[in-house]
Amino acid sequence: MVRDQVRFGLIGTGRIGQVHAANIAADPDATLAWVADPYPAGAESVAARYGGTATDSPERLLDSAEVDAVLVASPTPTHVTLIEACIDAGLPVLCEKPIDLDIARVDALRPKVAASSVPVALGFNQRFDPAFAETRTRVATGEIGELEHLSITSRDPGSPPADYIATSGGIFRDMTIHDFDMARFFLGEIVEVSATGAQLFDEGAREHGDYDTVAIVLRAASGAIATITNSRHSAIGYDQRLEALGAEGLLLVANAPSSLVSVSTSAAVEAKRPYLDFFLERYAEAYVRELAEFIKLVRGEESTSPTFEDGREALIIADAAQRSAEEGAVIRLTG
């Protein structure tokens, strides 16, 4: 039986793990009970700040009998093993994306997830951004008629370190995967993928055979089209926009400003501050809402948390985009 406060075990105390720790500590329906990280100082620091028992052993956390749910924010290569361990322990799990970089490992775990009654959720937090969620609801209610074209722009403010790119799985699996999930969130099943990429400015991308700039066209089973534009840098800040075009109108999500104040002088009119700096600021509320929705899932309530299957489908699209960019071909998805 789940208590009034869901007792969380957090695995991974890097940048995103710390975001989750803060949100768990701030949520009146949750408490941080255990924190695990192979780097003991990281676990101890987070536990000291947000509560819980620190350990360098995820196994000890899972065996403690003192957690009701687990949040996995550890490196991607650990995700499959930890999801499986959570299922074996009977503990609902919210795992950061992607499930894995190798679809074969995801598919090997898939039957176990399907056969289990243990909830498994994926961390596609952008679904819970208030502006994106509102737009999707208004599309679903038919406000702009049949959705014909979804346009997503996502540009990071700057390139990650080269050693990060080396293990990231590439821009499609690391960065664009959020946009692939967003396209599915709005359009449903994706049946066709066409992608192109370039190495224009980032030495890390060149060194590791990745792209720093990509453009993707997706076709949905409905016939509607989604276009996605990504870049590893943006001089104007974290560039996150979405446009939904329907037969009867247009819904547009603009960039989030860092300030609502503008200045007009002889040099410029209505000059504004740059956009928010990065995803931690832009999607702060989305992470809070993602956690609240997962708590509903843990309690057996109706929940819209993204599923293991959502994670699998996004990775399939990412793999197809990688193949399309490398081969210069349109890739048909067969499910």
Side-chain angles (χ1 to χ4, degrees), residues 223-300:
I225 289 175
T227 55
I228 299 170
T229 303
N230 290 157
S231 175
R232 287 292 197 183
H233 73 181
S234 171
I236 61 174
Y238 192 39
D239 189 9
Q240 300 284 289
R241 288 171 282 147
L242 183 145
E243 181 181 280
L245 176 67
E248 299 172 16
L250 174 75
L251 289 164
L252 173 66
V253 179
N255 269 313
S258 60
S259 173
L260 296 176
V261 178
S262 65
V263 59
S264 295
T265 69
S266 60
V269 176
E270 295 186 358
K272 300 178 181 179
R273 300 285 298 169
Y275 299 122
L276 291 175
D277 185 55
F278 205 25
F279 75 95
L280 295 179
E281 295 83 11
R282 171 62 181 83
Y283 291 113
E285 181 62 23
Y287 282 109
V288 171
R289 294 187 177 205
E290 174 187 57
L291 177 65
E293 199 65 23
F294 178 63
I295 289 172
K296 291 181 184 178
L297 186 66
V298 173
R299 289 176 165 168

Side-chain angles (χ1 to χ4, degrees), residues 191-202:
V191 298
E192 188 177 281
V193 181
S194 177
T196 187
Q199 299 168 335
L200 300 178
F201 55 84
D202 184 52

